[in-house]
Amino acid sequence: MYRRTLLLTPWMAPHKVITWERAVVLWYLDKVEVLEEYEDVVRSPSISIRTPAVVRLKKAIRSAKQVVRFSRMNVFARDDFRCQYCGERKITRELNYDHVVPRKHGGRTAWENIVTSCYPCNDRKGSRTPEQAGMKLRKQPIRPRVLPIAVAFRFRDVDVHSLWEPYVMTS
Ligand SMILES: [Zn+2]
C-alpha cells in the first residue's frame, strides 16, 4: 500500500509530502480537498474511504511558514533557471549566481542583490554593476514568497507516484 500523500497549496503548487493518515485527518477537518485517490480502501466501523493520493489545501498556509530560505538553488528556482542577463535557460551546473551590485561596491549576498547568471554573462559583467557593464537585468530580484519549482525539486529523492505526476514539475 502506498503510504504517502502529496499536499498542494491552494494555488496547486506542491507543498510537501505527508502520510495518508495525516491527509485523512486534514480532509476530516475540512482543511483539504481530495484530488486523486489510490485504489486502497481504509475502513473503520463508521466510514470506508479510499486513501488520498493528492490533496489540496483549501486555505493559504500562514505566511510565516512560507519564508523561503536563501540558497543558490532557490535563487535559480526563483529565476526559473534562466540567466537574468541573456535570458537563456540552463542546467544547474552551467549557472552561477551573480551579485548585481558587486561585493566590492558594498553589494550584499541577499535575495534583492543576487540573480542567476550563466558563466559567459558573469564573465562579461565582471565586478561591475549592470549599468557599468551595459547589461540589462530582465527583472528586479526580489525575495520570493513561494518556490514551487524548488519544492518540486526535492521530489527527485522521493518516489513519485503516477497519480502525482500532473502536479509535480520536475524539469
Ligand atoms: Zn547569460
Side-chain angles (χ1 to χ4, degrees), residues 1-5 17-21 38 40 52 164:
M1 183 160 146
Y2 206 78
R3 312 286 300 183
R4 292 165 180 272
T5 302
V17 177
I18 58 178
T19 62
W20 69 262
E21 291 93 335
Y38 297 120
D40 315 282
W164 296 10

Side-chain angles (χ1 to χ4, degrees), residues 71-149:
S71 74
R72 182 183 160 88
M73 193 52 73
N74 285 348
V75 167
F76 294 168
R78 179 198 62 188
D79 296 341
D80 194 27
F81 295 82
R82 269 175 217 284
C83 171
Q84 294 300 294
Y85 296 104
C86 68
E88 271 205 66
R89 196 164 197 221
K90 305 244 182 194
I91 58 172
T92 309
R93 70 182 152 78
E94 292 175 354
L95 293 172
N96 198 346
Y97 80 42
D98 176 65
H99 285 77
V100 176
V101 175
R103 268 182 297 191
K104 71 169 191 182
H105 298 308
R108 293 189 313 129
T109 304
W111 283 114
E112 296 80 3
N113 191 48
I114 297 286
V115 295
T116 304
S117 162
C118 69
Y119 284 96
C121 287
N122 204 235
D123 285 346
R124 215 179 107 206
K125 180 170 174 283
S127 52
R128 296 176 292 178
T129 64
E131 294 74 34
Q132 288 167 341
M135 295 164 82
K136 200 173 176 309
L137 269 177
R138 295 174 72 84
K139 57 177 192 274
Q140 209 51 44
I142 53 158
R143 170 186 294 276
R145 284 181 58 245
V146 282
L147 278 182
I149 298 169

Side-chain angles (χ1 to χ4, degrees), residues 6 8 12 14 36 54 160-169:
L6 176 63
L8 303 177
M12 304 292 283
E36 306 283 348
V54 180
V160 173
H161 192 279
S162 59
L163 284 172
W164 296 10
E165 277 168 10
Y167 305 95
V168 181
M169 295 175 285

Side-chain angles (χ1 to χ4, degrees), residues 21-61:
E21 291 93 335
R22 176 79 188 134
V24 169
V25 170
L26 291 173
W27 169 78
Y28 186 77
L29 295 173
D30 200 30
K31 304 263 192 210
V32 298
E33 64 168 325
V34 177
L35 301 181
E36 306 283 348
E37 297 172 317
Y38 297 120
E39 293 298 318
D40 315 282
V41 174
V42 276
R43 288 185 179 84
S44 77
S46 53
I47 54 164
S48 158
I49 53 164
R50 289 170 76 194
T51 54
V54 180
V55 296
R56 173 177 163 263
L57 281 165
K58 290 186 171 180
K59 275 194 212 149
I61 315 134

